[in-house]
Amino acid sequence: MPHWIEVIIRSAAFLFVLFVVTKVMGKRQISQLSFFEYITGITIGSIAAEVSMSREREVADGLAAVMVWGLIPLAAGYIALKSRSMRKIIEGESTVFIKDGKVLEENLKREKYSTDELLSLLRKKDIFHVADVEFAILEEDGSLNALLKKDKRPLTRQDANLPSMIQKEPESVIMDGRLILSALQLSGKTKEWLDEQLASMNVTIENVFLGQITATGELTVDLYDDQLKVPTIQERPLLLANLKKLEAELEGFALATDCEKAKQMYQESSKELRNIINQTSKYLQ
């Protein structure tokens, strides 16, 4: 058998084996590597590359080595789950870099981080002033998490005494010019409603690369043709404008009528509508 054909067969076989081993080891292996998982990942890759290219290496020996090195992280992970002390040894532990607004220089030196590296990690969190940080900790995977001081944190709805809002993810109802009926049903909208929205934009489903329905029930689309611009449908501002228009009409009716009973009815209705507008305007603007 020609050498290049054997290399192709070996590489394909080990690619499949590595895929299976990685799936068994779980997503954590490719997202948050501990020191131990980092070492085993490099070793498995080196074994696969060596056996794939070298005809002197037996495929069975390589497969056995990959399986052993694949099982080691699984066993270590199981032990780490059962024992906190072993978890510290296998996965390491987090290190506090800033506490009570003070940089802990000794911890920086122990983890072999310079001041410039600390500032770089903070900038990745959109923090450019160390004095704004109340607490910062270096996690086991090398990422930095920071807590800003109370007066430096972004304003929240709770700070403004506003009621909490549940923000749901948008439903992708159109992908690659095709309607995703299950997503449309989850959004609570109908096919007729979707057709009306698309018609108001002068587009068809086939022209839409991606269409999503937001948590507020609005349709946003991205077209195949990037040169085309679709009008933005603003249902909430339009609803607010209609409510204000209706309030003005009720006040006008109250002024125009000579019937005291009808005048009182219009005024009460206008007052109730004004209260509704005041309560909902922050959501509709």
Side-chain angles (χ1 to χ4, degrees):
M1 180 185 298
H3 178 62
W4 64 273
I5 295 180
E6 187 176 349
V7 169
I8 292 176
I9 295 175
R10 285 171 175 252
S11 300
F14 274 95
L15 178 61
F16 175 76
V17 171
L18 290 178
F19 175 77
V20 173
V21 170
T22 305
K23 292 290 286 185
V24 172
M25 294 171 68
K27 294 180 179 179
R28 190 174 184 274
Q29 177 70 14
I30 59 175
S31 61
Q32 297 179 348
L33 294 178
S34 64
F35 294 123
F36 194 74
E37 291 166 338
Y38 178 74
I39 294 172
T40 56
I42 293 177
T43 305
I44 290 174
S46 299
I47 293 172
E50 174 67 19
V51 178
S52 296
M53 297 298 297
S54 178
R55 303 181 72 175
E56 290 77 19
R57 304 293 184 184
E58 292 291 337
V59 175
D61 294 341
L63 292 176
V66 169
M67 295 304 295
V68 170
W69 279 93
L71 291 174
I72 289 175
L74 289 177
Y78 179 79
I79 295 173
L81 286 176
K82 297 297 182 180
S83 173
R84 188 171 185 273
S85 58
M86 290 299 297
R87 182 160 63 247
K88 290 182 178 180
I89 296 174
I90 295 174
E91 299 182 355
E93 57 182 334
S94 56
T95 304
V96 178
F97 276 178
I98 301 176
K99 186 175 182 180
D100 298 329
K102 176 70 174 63
V103 178
L104 305 182
E105 295 83 359
E106 292 300 322
N107 288 354
L108 279 176
K109 293 179 181 178
R110 188 172 75 247
E111 296 293 342
K112 298 179 177 58
Y113 273 78
S114 66
T115 306
D116 288 333
E117 289 172 325
L118 173 61
L119 294 176
S120 176
L121 291 174
L122 288 174
R123 287 194 294 270
K124 291 179 180 179
K125 298 290 183 180
D126 295 329
I127 301 173
F128 292 85
H129 198 191
V130 176
D132 294 342
V133 181
E134 180 70 24
F135 185 82
I137 185 170
L138 181 72
E139 304 294 355
E140 296 89 339
D141 61 352
S143 62
L144 184 76
N145 287 319
L147 176 68
L148 293 173
K149 292 181 178 179
K150 184 69 175 178
D151 58 340
K152 297 296 182 179
R153 299 174 197 170
L155 183 67
T156 64
R157 296 184 62 85
Q158 184 177 2
D159 295 331
N161 295 322
L162 296 175
S164 60
M165 294 180 63
I166 299 176
Q167 185 67 36
K168 297 181 179 180
E169 63 176 332
E171 293 289 346
S172 300
V173 296
I174 302 175
M175 285 187 180
D176 302 322
R178 296 182 179 180
L179 173 64
I180 311 299
L181 190 57
S182 58
L184 183 63
Q185 293 173 346
L186 287 175
S187 68
K189 301 296 184 179
T190 63
K191 179 65 165 52
E192 291 73 20
W193 177 88
L194 180 63
D195 291 338
E196 291 178 1
Q197 298 297 304
L198 293 174
S200 63
M201 300 178 183
N202 295 322
V203 298
T204 61
I205 291 180
E206 292 75 15
N207 297 328
V208 178
F209 173 71
L210 177 65
Q212 294 181 309
I213 297 179
T214 65
T216 56
E218 296 176 351
L219 177 67
T220 60
V221 297
D222 182 85
L223 302 180
Y224 278 107
D225 190 346
D226 295 332
Q227 303 300 321
L228 294 179
K229 292 185 178 180
V230 296
T232 302
I233 299 178
Q234 298 182 335
E235 292 184 347
R236 287 179 293 166
L238 181 59
L239 176 58
L240 180 60
N242 288 333
L243 289 175
K244 291 182 177 180
K245 179 182 178 182
L246 180 57
E247 178 193 4
E249 290 177 350
L250 289 173
E251 292 177 353
F253 293 154
L255 294 174
T257 183
D258 294 330
C259 178
E260 290 299 327
K261 186 176 180 180
K263 184 186 295 291
Q264 183 179 359
M265 180 189 67
Y266 287 134
Q267 289 175 343
E268 290 177 354
S269 298
S270 177
K271 184 178 179 180
E272 292 178 1
L273 187 56
R274 189 179 304 113
N275 291 334
I276 293 175
I277 293 174
N278 292 336
Q279 295 174 8
T280 60
S281 59
K282 54 179 174 288
Y283 304 108
L284 299 178
Q285 289 178 348

